[in-house]
């Protein structure tokens, strides 16, 4: 059904472009859609949440100091932990996150993870469990975002591009969804360009006229390139005077902002960032491999948020950052060492509807008896409770039983401002 | 005018296909060459498949799954028919011939002619000294991986033994290492030759040990930093989870004593005396395996000689007793040193779960994303029964390819080709004359495009290897960028004094039609000629009316952009000079190249 709408869009916009002789700037003209949008940023490899949001004071800091003598984020010096006025601070490379937190746009949720009996320290199992949204069952056919799109009453079928993947390949959270706009760059994105390019695309569509997944994927690809071709994406001016970092993650996030602003009725956008599997040479004193990665992440996400917020889209957009698991509380060696796979972790949620500047979740502690199995930050909060709060209260989809089958007894995390909760008559 | 039928083979002057291949173990040909068209494949159970090539030949099926497609006039229907008296016999003969290997004449000639491959024959130690240790600027050179990223295209396009290339590709994915990793990039020629290709048809336990002792793996999965008391479990975990038992045999965080047990007929080493071992592994087995591997490192310090070779460092080894897959019983006694690592790899390689894990991966890579359980069970049994045999993996591959499930038409064309496969099979089908090589402008231009497909050889960072699952590759980025790479190949002429098309599309048409009456140059005849060339078969009654063919014909006959000229009537022939010289206003040469691009983009070509 959504491809029918793309067809309609393509026809009408082609007509417009033909008449006016210029590329259209907004697909739906001047009418701005108010559709809520979630941007799911998955951190591949197991982000070390304990060093992204380390303890700042109290007994937790004392234990942290013992567990990570060679890897800790220091409390003093030029690379000291960023003070949030809380019992936890931010890694010194996460200045953008700190600013968003202090602006009240960013919420930290500590102690999240897979439900304890289903914890796995395998990247591949934990990634599947998280992204398929069915912990304990890694053979689920579809992903949690696929099921959200299928069950959400906010998706009417009139959307041009409900799903945008700013990456070379689609995440498991969209498994079994074959009509996503998947793109990692826009320049030169066309097969056989030249005099016969439109006929070429028409012929490809003609050869894939069936209903199989491959037919859908090819037609999605043909729609993608035609839409990109018709939109004016080359002269992008980010909102709020933002300059995106000149790197591939910055490019990916900028593309998300660009396409959201084209008003294609995006409901879900995804991107991912790897490089978090820090078994070795994680870095010490607030510098090194991990610090570089945190800066890379924080700077790009901050640019994305400031761009969208500066363009008046802050109330529409919610960004969630998470990973398949956290890492072990104790470092795995001396200097130049790292951390092995663990479980409990931090999640970060950013948005205009998010009651930020606060910490949520449950951090049990870092003493041996408080660690999960004596090893990890305890995963007290089922990650589905965090995503469920977003799905229900921000995206306005009450059908958590369908998005997360087998998940019951959901309670709001209360990080969505009550006066901003989706007021469509769903229970709140 | 060059004879393009032989252009690609001009490097192998004096040797016919038969001449090259009869040098290999070969059973005498039978006289019978009756060819019975197969029934169309049954409707697939999976819903992934777009329209398949109708009535695909058995030879086409085999060459697409066990090679990189058809190479017209060389590795095609005629060649395959000559291999035996019936399909099963021909398939078996093809597999035997391919696995046996031999002098890969054209590959070697092209390497020599390129003259820019300098790392291929160096020993591990030479590679280490020449590319890793650099006194001057302290940075290692990536020359070896750079050469291999190009060599993989050269080999796959021109090898006489494409099945061996596919098998090497499978194991490179299985034991995946990111090519530009710090140690790997300087020693890749050794990793590819001494580990992957030396063991890919041999014994799995020996293969596993060879991977564990190689500096590329020791560094990539951090075992070089795995000490007594500070064990780094990264490698231990991936060895179990990816290389041997597989995550399907993971029992989570349970205690070893809670895991169901199975009886195995093993003795000695670390095998429990009663033969009862855990059916599955738990996290504790990962930690204990990591302890077994403490002290396995690279000779990478000057005090040891800095040879780049494997070094067992007993001072770093955890010499206390350990328990792996034994329900908690300490089956690794104290003070066994390096033997702990060897024994734990024997347990993992001989565990029945490993055979099942690898058989499942093989069936999904070579047959279908959803293969029948029977072929997995049968291949797993061959794997396990021959676990001590020197040619264990050769037997495993033969069992897989000669299995009834492999020839069952319901699984034909059920997988989407990965981008590398599309590009290489297009080069073969179009008879490319293009030696992809280091330090070469055309190869660089090709590389930029290929990079955008997301499937450049050895460029996958995580240790699980490029996915083989079709759904992964069914996204707009992979599809569009792959087709753009093929477009570039079809449109590009070689650099140099005598530019020739890298893929001679128009020259073959000229050659075919130049001595025929001009009235033969009908649109249907021109496109049918290339369809039959690329797919190496022609439907009964010809291509006209075939839906893919008709879509391409519509493109071919598009109205020119100069609207003063009408759409070309399909029943009109095209004048020779208009086509052969790509003249305004119809630009038939450009249209022809576009049509061949579409044939490659079609579901008939994209699925295997």
């Amino acid at each position: 059904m959504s491809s029918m709408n793309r067809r309609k869009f393509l026809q009408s916009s082609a007509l417009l472009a033909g008449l006016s002789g210029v590329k259209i700037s907004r697909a739906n003209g001047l009418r701005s859609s108010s559709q809520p949008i979630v941007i799911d940023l998955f951190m591949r490899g197991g982000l070390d949440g304990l060093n992204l949001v380390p303890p700042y004071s109290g007994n937790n800091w004392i234990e942290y100091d013992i567990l990570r003598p060679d890897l800790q984020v220091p409390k003093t010096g030029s690379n000291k932990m960023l003070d949030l006025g809380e019992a936890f601070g931010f890694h010194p490379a996460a200045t953008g996150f700190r600013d968003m937190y202090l602006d009240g746009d960013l919420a930290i949720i500590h102690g999240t993870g897979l439900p304890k009996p289903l914890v796995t320290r395998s990247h591949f199992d934990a990634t599947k469990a998280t992204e398929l949204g069915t912990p304990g069952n890694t053979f689920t056919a579809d992903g949690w975002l696929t099921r959200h799109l299928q069950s959400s009453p906010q998706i009417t079928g009139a959307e041009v591009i409900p799903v945008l993947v700013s990456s070379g390949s689609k995440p498991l959270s969209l498994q079994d969804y074959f009509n996503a706009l998947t793109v990692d760059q826009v320049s030169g994105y066309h097969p056989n360009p030249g005099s016969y390019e439109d006929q070429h695309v028409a012929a490809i569509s003609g050869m894939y006229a069936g209903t199989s997944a491959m037919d859908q994927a090819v037609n999605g690809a043909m729609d993608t390139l035609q839409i990109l071709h018709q939109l004016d994406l080359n002269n992008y001016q980010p909102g709020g005077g933002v300059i995106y970092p000149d790197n591939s993650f910055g490019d990916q996030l900028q593309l998300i902002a660009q396409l959201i602003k084209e008003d294609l009725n995006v409901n879900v956008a995804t991107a991912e960032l790897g490089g978090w599997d820090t078994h070795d040479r994680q870095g010490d004193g607030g510098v090194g491999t991990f610090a570089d990665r945190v800066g890379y992440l924080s700077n790009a996400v901050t640019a994305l948020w400031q761009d969208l917020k500066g363009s008046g889209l802050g109330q529409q957009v919610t960004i969630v950052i998470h990973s398949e698991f956290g890492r072990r509380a104790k470092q795995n060696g001396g200097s130049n060492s790292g951390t092995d796979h663990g479980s409990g972790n931090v999640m970060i949620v950013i948005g205009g509807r998010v009651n930020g500047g606060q910490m949520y979740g449950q951090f049990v502690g870092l003493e041996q008896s408080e660690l999960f199995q004596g090893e990890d930050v305890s995963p007290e909060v089922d990650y589905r409770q965090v995503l469920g709060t977003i799905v229900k209260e921000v995206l306005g989809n009450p059908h958590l039983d369908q998005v997360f089958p087998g998940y019951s007894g959901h309670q709001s995390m209360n990080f969505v401002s009550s006066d901003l909760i989706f007021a469509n008559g769903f229970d709140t | 005018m060059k004879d393009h039928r032989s252009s690609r083979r001009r490097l192998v002057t004096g040797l016919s296909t038969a001449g090259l291949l009869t040098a290999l173990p070969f059973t005498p040909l039978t006289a019978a060459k009756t060819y019975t068209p197969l029934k169309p494949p049954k409707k697939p159970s999976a819903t992934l498949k777009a329209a398949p090539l109708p009535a695909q030949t058995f030879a086409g099926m085999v060459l697409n799954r066990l090679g990189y497609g058809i190479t017209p006039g060389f590795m095609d229907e005629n060649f395959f028919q000559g291999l035996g008296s019936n399909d099963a016999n021909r398939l078996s003969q093809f597999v035997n011939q391919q696995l046996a290997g031999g002098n890969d004449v054209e590959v070697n000639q092209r390497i020599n002619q390129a003259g820019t491959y300098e790392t291929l024959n160096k020993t591990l130690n030479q590679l280490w000294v020449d590319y890793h240790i650099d006194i001057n600027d302290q940075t290692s050179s990536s020359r070896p991986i750079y050469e291999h990223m190009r060599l993989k295209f050269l080999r796959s396009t021109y090898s006489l033994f494409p099945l061996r290339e596919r098998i090497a590709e499978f194991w490179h994915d299985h034991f995946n290492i990111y090519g530009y990793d710090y140690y790997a990039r300087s020693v890749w020629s050794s990793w590819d030759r001494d580990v992957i290709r030396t063991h890919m048809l041999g014994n799995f336990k020996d293969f596993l040990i060879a991977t564990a002792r190689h500096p590329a793996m020791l560094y990539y999965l951090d075992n070089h930093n795995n000490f007594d008391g500070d064990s780094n479990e990264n490698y231990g975990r991936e060895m179990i989870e990816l290389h041997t038992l597989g995550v399907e045999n993971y029992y989570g965080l349970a205690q070893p004593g809670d895991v169901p047990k199975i009886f195995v007929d093993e003795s000695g080493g670390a095998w429990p005396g009663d033969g009862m071992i855990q059916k599955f592994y738990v996290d504790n087995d990962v930690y204990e395996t990591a302890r077994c591997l403490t002290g396995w490192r690279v000779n990478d310090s000057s005090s040891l000689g800095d040879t780049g070779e494997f070094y067992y460092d007993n001072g770093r080894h955890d010499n206390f007793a350990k328990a792996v897959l034994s329900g908690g019983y300490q089956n690794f006694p104290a003070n066994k040193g390096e033997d702990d690592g060897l024994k734990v790899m024997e347990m993992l390689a001989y565990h029945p779960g490993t055979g099942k894990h690898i058989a499942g991966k093989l069936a999904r890579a070579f047959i279908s994303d959803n293969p029948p359980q029977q072929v997995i069970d049968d291949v797993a049994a061959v794997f396990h029964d021959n676990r001590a045999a020197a040619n264990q993996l050769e037997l495993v591959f033969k069992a897989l390819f000669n299995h009834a499930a492999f020839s069952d038409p319901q699984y034909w064309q059920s997988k989407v080709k990965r981008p590398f496969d599309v590009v290489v099979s297009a080069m073969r089908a179009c008879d490319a004359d293009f030696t992809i090589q280091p330090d070469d402008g055309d190869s660089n231009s090709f590389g930029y495009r290929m990079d955008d497909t997301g499937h450049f050889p050895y460029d996958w960072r995580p240790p699980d290897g490029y996915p083989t699952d079709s759904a992964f590759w069914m996204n707009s980025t992979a599809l569009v960028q792959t087709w753009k790479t093929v477009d570039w190949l079809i449109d590009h002429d070689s650099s140099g004094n005598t530019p020739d098309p890298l893929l001679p599309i128009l020259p073959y048409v000229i050659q075919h039609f130049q001595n025929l009456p001009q009235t033969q140059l009908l649109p249907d005849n021109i496109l049918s000629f290339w369809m039959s060339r690329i797919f190496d078969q022609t439907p009964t009654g010809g291509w006209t009316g075939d839906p893919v063919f008709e879509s391409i014909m519509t493109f071919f006959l598009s109205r020119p952009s100069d609207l003063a000229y009408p759409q070309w009537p399909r029943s009109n022939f095209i004048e020779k000079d208009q086509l052969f010289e790509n003249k305004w206003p119809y630009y038939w040469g450009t249209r022809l190249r576009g049509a061949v691009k579409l044939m490659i983009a079609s579901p008939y070509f994209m699925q295997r």
Side-chain angles (χ1 to χ4, degrees):
Chain A
M1 71 186 167
S2 53
S3 69
M4 283 303 292
N5 290 296
R6 285 193 206 179
R7 287 282 131 67
K8 266 193 269 172
F9 161 73
L10 288 167
Q11 284 162 11
S12 62
S13 60
L15 206 64
L16 277 172
L19 286 173
S20 62
V22 295
K23 290 189 174 187
I24 49 165
S25 60
R26 281 175 81 86
N28 281 341
L30 296 174
R31 185 180 60 82
S32 175
S33 95
S34 58
Q35 172 124 321
I37 300 161
V38 65
I39 302 174
D40 183 23
L41 304 179
F42 199 86
M43 302 295 114
R44 296 207 180 278
L47 178 148
D48 184 18
L50 192 56
N51 264 15
L52 179 62
V53 185
Y56 193 79
S57 57
N59 193 47
N60 285 335
W61 185 83
I62 294 168
E63 293 295 330
Y64 174 73
D65 186 39
I66 295 167
L67 288 162
R68 297 188 166 188
D70 302 296
L71 295 185
Q72 63 181 269
V73 179
K75 289 284 294 291
T76 55
S78 54
N79 289 302
K80 66 182 180 192
M81 204 182 296
L82 303 174
D83 185 4
L84 300 174
E86 309 270 1
F88 289 79
F90 258 123
H91 189 284
T95 50
F97 283 171
R98 185 261 322 269
D99 295 345
M100 288 189 278
Y101 187 89
L102 296 177
D103 286 347
D105 294 332
L106 182 149
I108 297 168
I109 302 141
H110 230 316
T112 69
L114 295 169
K116 283 185 194 173
L118 300 174
V119 160
T120 161
R121 293 197 186 104
S122 151
H123 285 297
F124 310 100
D125 259 7
T127 301
K128 281 183 182 170
T130 307
E131 293 201 80
L132 296 177
T134 54
N137 180 5
T138 55
F139 295 98
T140 311
D142 43 19
W144 75 272
L145 285 170
T146 304
R147 292 189 300 275
H148 157 64
L149 290 155
Q150 286 163 349
S151 62
S152 175
Q154 306 303 319
I155 303 286
T156 64
E159 295 78 14
V160 180
I161 299 284
V163 180
L164 164 63
V165 178
S166 184
S167 176
S169 62
K170 207 174 55 177
L172 289 171
S173 50
L174 285 165
Q175 185 161 294
D176 216 30
Y177 190 92
F178 289 102
N179 208 16
L181 191 157
T182 304
V183 61
D184 63 352
Q185 58 177 12
V186 294
S187 65
Y189 196 84
H190 203 297
N192 200 30
S195 313
Y196 303 115
E197 61 183 31
D198 292 342
Q199 292 91 334
H200 195 91
V201 166
I204 290 177
S205 296
M207 298 190 298
Y208 291 91
T211 56
S212 75
M214 181 64 173
D215 291 301
Q216 289 182 49
V218 169
N219 280 292
M222 294 303 101
D223 289 351
T224 297
L225 63 92
Q226 292 206 71
I227 288 168
L228 293 176
H229 201 58
Q230 290 175 36
L231 299 174
D232 184 8
L233 295 171
N234 294 327
N235 301 303
Y236 183 63
Q237 297 287 335
V242 166
I243 297 170
Y244 281 84
D246 184 17
N247 57 42
S248 63
F249 195 57
D251 292 345
Q252 281 173 266
L253 298 192
Q254 176 174 315
L255 186 61
I256 288 178
Q258 279 181 278
L259 290 172
I260 283 175
K261 290 193 211 170
E262 294 292 350
D263 207 10
L264 302 164
N265 319 109
V266 173
N267 184 262
V268 168
T270 72
E272 58 185 60
L273 180 63
W276 300 105
D277 196 15
T278 48
H279 287 277
D280 193 21
R281 294 170 200 274
Q282 182 167 332
D284 191 15
V287 295
T289 311
F290 179 77
D292 293 345
R293 212 64 186 156
V294 168
Y296 190 87
L297 168 68
S298 171
N299 294 340
V301 172
T302 304
L304 172 68
W305 172 245
Q306 299 299 353
D307 178 8
L308 292 170
K309 189 181 180 187
S311 306
L313 293 166
Q315 294 297 314
Q316 246 176 283
V317 174
T318 304
I319 303 168
V320 58
I321 302 171
H322 58 134
S323 188
E324 70 262 39
F325 47 54
R327 308 192 74 82
R328 296 265 249 294
K330 187 176 186 297
Q331 66 186 43
N332 65 11
S335 59
N336 287 331
S337 69
T339 45
D340 289 326
H341 303 181
S343 49
N345 206 3
V346 71
M347 288 175 75
I348 286 178
V349 183
I350 302 160
R353 285 181 173 164
V354 174
N355 205 354
Q358 293 187 49
M359 292 198 62
Y360 299 83
Q362 197 178 350
F363 193 90
V364 177
L366 293 174
E367 286 186 37
Q368 173 88 22
S369 61
E370 296 168 330
L371 294 171
F372 178 64
Q373 295 195 328
E375 301 270 10
D376 311 334
V377 171
S378 186
E380 292 295 310
V381 178
D382 188 329
Y383 81 103
R384 293 174 295 183
Q385 197 184 346
V386 180
L387 297 181
T389 299
I390 294 171
V391 167
K392 198 168 175 180
E393 299 174 34
V394 178
L395 295 178
N397 179 3
H399 302 299
L400 293 190
D401 55 331
Q402 293 175 47
V403 180
F404 297 113
Y407 170 62
S408 58
H410 174 73
Q411 290 189 321
S412 172
M413 294 286 301
N414 292 320
F415 57 71
V416 179
S417 299
S418 57
D419 56 331
L420 292 169
I421 288 176
F422 222 82
N424 266 9
F426 305 119
D427 60 74
T428 54
Chain B
M1 174 71 47
K2 186 166 65 186
D3 178 3
H4 278 278
R5 265 173 304 202
S6 61
S7 69
R8 185 173 167 274
R9 300 296 147 197
R10 64 186 172 224
L11 282 163
V12 286
T13 44
L15 283 173
S16 65
T17 309
L20 287 167
L21 291 171
T22 44
L24 309 168
F26 204 79
T27 50
L29 300 183
T30 50
K33 276 182 76 174
T34 49
Y35 165 55
T36 318
L38 287 151
K39 284 176 297 194
K42 275 184 281 180
K43 197 168 170 52
S45 50
T47 55
L48 290 174
K49 186 150 101 177
L53 175 63
Q56 186 185 39
T57 64
F58 194 86
M61 177 277 285
V62 171
L63 293 171
N64 270 294
R65 283 158 136 197
L66 300 188
Y68 294 96
I70 306 284
T71 316
F74 191 70
M75 199 162 271
D76 57 6
E77 180 73 35
N78 274 341
F79 154 75
F80 194 76
Q81 288 297 322
L83 291 174
S85 56
N86 59 48
D87 284 337
N89 182 317
R90 289 186 275 262
L91 170 59
S92 163
Q93 182 58 34
F94 177 77
V95 170
N96 291 347
Q97 215 180 61
Q98 289 284 310
L99 295 187
N103 183 6
D104 214 345
V105 181
E106 185 167 1
V107 168
N108 294 333
Q109 287 193 356
R110 284 184 182 267
I111 289 171
N112 291 336
Q113 208 169 61
T116 47
Y117 284 102
E118 63 181 47
T119 73
L120 307 188
N121 298 319
K122 294 191 176 187
T123 65
L124 171 60
N125 178 250
Q126 285 171 327
L127 292 162
W128 185 260
V129 171
D130 290 353
Y131 303 107
H132 184 75
I133 303 173
D134 184 335
I135 313 285
N136 297 323
D137 60 7
Q138 298 292 309
T139 55
S140 69
S141 162
S142 52
R143 180 77 194 185
I145 183 61
Y146 166 68
E147 291 188 4
H148 276 268
M149 288 173 117
R150 299 197 169 184
L151 181 64
K152 185 63 189 172
F153 288 95
L154 192 164
R155 281 172 163 167
S156 301
T157 307
Y158 294 108
S159 180
L160 295 172
F161 313 103
L163 178 55
R164 292 178 66 91
E165 290 306 315
R166 273 214 182 271
I167 288 172
E169 187 183 343
F170 175 86
W171 289 118
H172 267 294
D173 280 342
H174 183 78
F175 290 111
N176 187 61
I177 293 178
Y178 173 54
Y180 281 108
D181 200 55
Y182 183 45
Y183 282 15
R185 63 195 184 198
S186 306
V187 296
W188 198 266
S189 304
S190 164
W191 172 250
D192 178 68
R193 179 193 59 223
D194 303 335
V195 180
I196 300 295
R197 287 170 191 265
T198 296
H199 294 281
M200 67 186 188
L201 297 171
N203 176 270
F204 183 75
K205 183 190 82 173
D206 294 345
F207 197 174
L208 183 65
I209 292 170
T211 62
R213 294 167 59 98
H214 201 274
M217 183 64 84
L218 284 163
Y219 192 88
Y220 175 60
L221 289 178
D222 300 323
N223 205 70
H224 69 117
N225 217 357
N226 184 16
F227 304 131
D228 174 27
D230 280 331
S231 93
N232 185 312
E233 72 189 42
N234 197 19
Y235 183 46
R237 184 177 292 278
E238 306 307 7
M239 178 185 282
I240 300 180
E241 175 173 324
L242 295 174
H243 301 161
T244 59
L245 289 170
V247 77
E248 72 220 50
N249 287 305
Y250 182 39
Y251 214 61
L253 306 185
Q255 293 307 303
D258 298 335
V259 182
K261 287 194 168 184
I262 50 169
F263 175 75
V264 288
D265 186 15
E266 310 283 0
S267 58
W271 299 101
D274 61 359
M276 297 303 290
I277 59 166
Q278 289 165 223
K279 186 173 183 187
F280 308 109
Y281 71 96
V282 296
D283 265 38
N284 198 63
D285 297 306
V286 171
Y287 310 149
E288 296 285 282
T289 298
R291 291 179 59 212
C292 287
L293 293 166
T294 46
W296 286 48
R297 57 174 286 199
V298 183
N299 184 330
D300 56 1
S301 81
S302 49
S303 61
L304 298 170
D306 205 2
T307 64
E309 287 156 345
F310 171 70
Y311 180 68
Y312 170 72
D313 188 340
N314 197 51
R316 292 183 173 188
H317 188 68
D318 177 342
N319 266 310
F320 290 100
K322 304 160 192 85
V324 182
L325 295 172
S326 56
Y329 158 76
Q330 291 192 322
N331 51 335
F332 287 79
N335 299 315
K336 293 291 184 183
E338 184 179 359
D339 207 38
D340 286 345
L342 298 172
K343 288 292 183 289
V344 81
M345 281 188 267
E346 178 178 300
M347 282 194 86
L348 292 168
Y350 288 2
H351 192 292
T354 295
K356 287 191 179 153
H357 173 227
I358 290 174
K361 284 188 75 170
L362 286 168
R364 289 190 295 277
F366 285 95
I367 296 178
S368 156
D369 293 315
N370 296 295
Q373 188 62 39
Q374 191 63 50
V375 65
I376 298 175
D377 292 346
D378 292 348
V379 172
V382 172
F383 188 101
H384 190 251
D385 292 349
N386 295 287
R387 59 196 179 278
N391 65 339
Q392 177 195 11
L393 296 173
E394 181 190 341
L395 298 172
V396 163
F397 282 108
K398 285 180 175 174
L400 174 71
F401 303 143
N402 290 305
H403 196 280
F406 181 82
S407 295
D408 183 343
Q410 73 171 301
Y411 302 109
W412 297 13
Q413 301 184 66
S414 66
K415 284 185 71 74
V416 172
K417 287 182 183 174
R418 304 196 292 184
F420 176 82
D421 195 348
V422 178
V423 169
V424 168
S425 57
M427 287 203 279
R428 280 186 173 262
C430 297
D431 205 8
D433 184 13
F434 181 26
T435 301
I436 296 177
Q437 58 185 291
D439 312 319
D440 169 61
D442 288 339
S443 301
N444 295 345
S445 301
F446 168 81
Y448 296 138
R449 283 150 183 91
M450 187 68 207
D451 203 34
D452 287 338
T453 69
H455 192 211
F456 212 102
Y458 318 128
D459 203 22
W460 182 258
R461 285 172 182 263
D464 55 344
Y466 281 113
T468 57
D469 181 33
S470 299
F472 179 86
W473 300 103
M474 291 176 2
N475 66 74
S476 25
T477 299
L479 293 167
V480 171
Q481 300 296 358
T482 300
W483 293 337
K484 280 173 59 72
T485 305
V486 173
D487 292 348
W488 182 87
L489 285 164
I490 286 179
D491 288 337
H492 201 78
D493 287 349
S494 61
S495 310
N497 297 331
T498 55
D500 278 322
L502 297 178
L503 272 55
I505 308 300
L506 183 58
Y508 273 113
V509 169
I510 296 174
Q511 184 173 268
H512 181 77
F513 287 95
Q514 63 186 350
N515 296 320
L516 295 174
Q518 186 157 268
T519 52
Q520 287 294 300
L521 252 70
L522 293 164
D524 277 79
N525 289 349
I526 296 166
L527 294 191
S528 293
F529 166 76
W530 259 104
M531 287 288 281
S532 296
R533 236 192 110 72
I534 281 196
F535 298 111
D536 194 29
Q537 62 181 79
T538 306
T540 319
W543 287 106
T544 304
D546 174 276
V548 161
F549 182 80
E550 292 300 322
S551 289
I552 298 172
M553 182 62 76
T554 304
F555 163 84
F556 192 61
L557 297 178
S558 304
R559 189 166 181 183
S561 47
D562 184 340
L563 296 176
Y565 293 85
Q567 181 169 353
W568 192 265
R570 188 163 172 174
S571 55
N572 283 13
F573 68 85
I574 299 161
E575 288 172 16
K576 279 185 183 172
D577 63 332
Q578 291 283 321
L579 173 62
F580 295 177
E581 294 168 37
N582 197 29
K583 283 189 173 173
W584 176 88
Y586 284 91
Y587 296 114
W588 289 110
T590 305
R591 290 166 188 257
L592 175 68
R593 281 186 276 117
V596 174
K597 293 170 189 174
L598 287 168
M599 292 173 199
I600 288 163
S602 78
Y604 296 178
F605 196 86
M606 290 294 292
Q607 300 177 120
R608 57 180 268 262

